[in-house]
Amino acid sequence: MAWLAAGFLGLLATSAAEPAKPESVTMTGKVVELTAALKSRAIPADADPVAHQVVLQADDGTVTPLLSDDATRALFQDDRLRNRRTEIKAWRYPGLPYVQVLSFKVEDHGQLRTPEYYCDVCTISVRYPQPCPCCQGPMELRMKPESP
């Protein structure tokens, strides 16, 4: 009987679904808070559960929620990066409405640029707002100069 149980467990292990392979996508629109996207469509919803969720709202109105991680932390924390034309490179997973952002650029003076938080003292740049990892001083939001 033990061999039967072992065989059944082995069958389960080999038939387990492979993780879904993500699709690479490039999306454009504006990053806004979900509450603002819902309000613009006159959709009533409790604001508290989604208060800090940010989404990419495409020009056609399609809303795509963004996963919160190191790549998107600046979009969640710094409202100066929202409500601007934005280009996002991301992974889209089958069956998941969220995208996992790999990189993003926001419009700055008519050009898409990558934001960074920079310490003039230590000449360190990071992806999201925080004290300087070296001197613990303030870091300034600036747009990374794009190479041609």
Side-chain angles (χ1 to χ4, degrees):
M1 194 64 149
W3 63 269
L4 183 59
F8 182 69
L9 290 175
L11 180 61
L12 284 177
T14 58
S15 66
E18 291 281 325
K21 295 199 190 272
E23 170 192 4
S24 177
V25 295
T26 300
M27 307 167 70
T28 59
K30 288 184 179 181
V31 173
V32 298
E33 287 186 336
L34 179 56
T35 52
L38 294 173
K39 186 176 181 180
S40 72
R41 293 177 171 202
I43 299 173
D46 290 338
D48 287 342
V50 295
H52 301 290
Q53 177 63 51
V54 295
V55 298
L56 182 70
Q57 188 168 17
D59 293 337
D60 68 0
T62 303
V63 171
T64 304
L66 308 178
L67 286 172
S68 176
D69 61 14
D70 285 349
T72 56
R73 192 162 292 135
L75 293 170
F76 278 81
Q77 293 180 351
D78 193 341
D79 61 354
R80 295 174 292 176
L81 300 178
R82 292 188 225 129
N83 296 302
R84 299 177 178 210
R85 189 168 61 95
T86 305
E87 178 185 86
I88 289 178
K89 295 188 184 295
W91 290 121
R92 180 182 299 280
Y93 291 89
L96 186 67
Y98 289 79
V99 294
Q100 184 175 28
V101 175
L102 303 171
S103 65
F104 69 91
K105 295 179 181 185
V106 297
E107 185 173 35
D108 179 57
H109 297 42
Q111 290 188 303
L112 289 172
R113 296 181 186 251
T114 303
E116 67 179 356
Y117 297 85
Y118 188 77
C119 176
D120 285 324
V121 175
C122 304
T123 64
I124 292 175
S125 70
V126 295
R127 293 176 84 168
Y128 54 87
Q130 61 184 288
C132 175
C134 180
C135 71
Q136 299 301 303
M139 299 189 83
E140 170 189 352
L141 171 63
R142 71 177 197 178
M143 298 299 162
K144 190 183 286 188
E146 298 298 326
S147 52

